[in-house]
Amino acid sequence: MKVRFDATGEVVVITGGAQGIGAALARAVTSCGGTAVVFDVVKPASGVEYVEVDVADRASVESAVADVLSRYGRIDGLVAGAAVQPRTPVIEQDPSEWTRTLQVNLDGVVWVCQAVVPHMVSRRSGSVVVFTSGMAVTGYAGAAAYASSKAALVAFAKSLAAEVAEHRVRVNVTAPGVIDTEQFRGANADADRLHWQDTIGIGDPEDVVGPLLFLLSDAAAMTGSVLTRERAFAKLVSFTE
């Protein structure tokens, strides 16, 4: 069975979309006829629309969202993927690194949801996707800050989902598994990389695109759910006829 998504006329904001999964999704949204707007501190290599935003800066997020709404009049989807992933043992972690991780990974999601979701509520339509991680459940040596932020995001997203469900706005969570991105390679040295390769496997950013498009689409009649990747997401979507 082949699935084709149509995003014609729709606008999707992707935080952290300059690289990795976010970049693959931005390309896919564009291929499906939609407009992808990337919020990031790094400029994307591809030609998708880009706004320089540090999601930890609430004022910057609010300004960027207001700009998108003024130009397009709508935001149909929000994918909150911006994150940092330091590797430092707890007893060695500098307070500034801990704080920065929570500011980007957790606060950044809160700020962008506060800016976008009221618009979705007023339109009675919209889908939000938040990223968690298997580390939120298992923990991982040297990744306490990252794992803690991702665990908190599950509770946040489920709470938000319960608050806006009556307005036909959906909020779901995905744990994409281990994906070969710039961030993954930076956080995982050779031994860690081999560990992931020999256990759950390492996927490609494109492996996650199909499930994300599904969650953004009206086919996903679900909210407050967590979609996980056991070994590898199937490539669920074809972008051409």
Side-chain angles (χ1 to χ4, degrees):
M1 181 182 297
K2 292 187 177 181
V3 178
R4 291 180 174 86
F5 294 94
D6 182 3
T8 302
E10 298 191 359
V11 177
V12 178
V13 170
I14 306 168
T15 72
Q19 300 173 330
I21 296 170
L25 177 62
R27 293 191 296 269
V29 169
T30 302
S31 297
C32 292
T35 298
V37 183
V38 168
F39 289 4
D40 209 319
V41 294
V42 178
K43 187 174 183 178
S46 60
V48 298
E49 186 171 343
Y50 163 69
V51 182
E52 184 175 356
V53 180
D54 179 354
V55 295
D57 182 344
R58 190 169 186 261
S60 178
V61 169
E62 291 176 340
S63 176
V65 170
D67 174 65
V68 173
L69 289 174
S70 69
R71 289 186 290 113
Y72 294 104
R74 62 191 294 161
I75 295 176
D76 301 276
L78 168 63
V79 178
V84 294
Q85 192 175 164
R87 284 286 192 273
T88 308
V90 171
I91 59 175
E92 299 174 12
Q93 192 144 50
D94 186 88
S96 63
E97 183 181 70
W98 174 270
T99 300
R100 177 63 179 171
T101 303
L102 295 183
Q103 286 175 335
V104 174
N105 297 7
L106 178 57
D107 295 352
V109 176
V110 177
W111 305 152
V112 75
C113 286
Q114 285 185 334
V116 172
V117 170
H119 163 74
M120 292 179 169
V121 167
S122 67
R123 293 183 63 229
R124 292 186 60 77
S125 176
S127 174
V128 177
V129 182
V130 174
F131 283 80
T132 185
S133 166
M135 293 182 190
V137 177
T138 65
Y140 196 75
Y146 177 78
S148 298
S149 69
K150 293 300 182 179
L153 282 175
V154 176
F156 168 77
K158 286 178 173 288
S159 300
L160 179 59
E163 293 174 5
V164 299
E166 65 179 301
H167 302 290
R168 303 185 65 81
V169 176
R170 294 175 291 109
V171 183
N172 289 292
V173 184
T174 182
V178 180
I179 303 297
D180 188 16
T181 65
E182 292 86 347
Q183 185 182 101
F184 166 75
R185 291 191 293 271
N188 291 272
D190 292 342
D192 284 334
R193 183 181 179 85
L194 288 174
H195 163 76
W196 295 121
Q197 185 174 304
D198 294 340
T199 54
I200 68 172
I202 301 174
D204 297 319
E206 289 74 18
D207 296 338
V208 191
V209 167
L212 288 173
L213 290 176
F214 165 72
L215 289 174
L216 289 169
S217 77
D218 55 11
M222 53 199 278
T223 194
S225 299
V226 181
L227 183 63
T228 63
R229 170 186 179 270
E230 292 297 328
R231 290 194 64 83
F233 274 135
K235 293 180 174 64
L236 299 181
V237 60
S238 172
F239 305 120
T240 58
E241 295 295 333

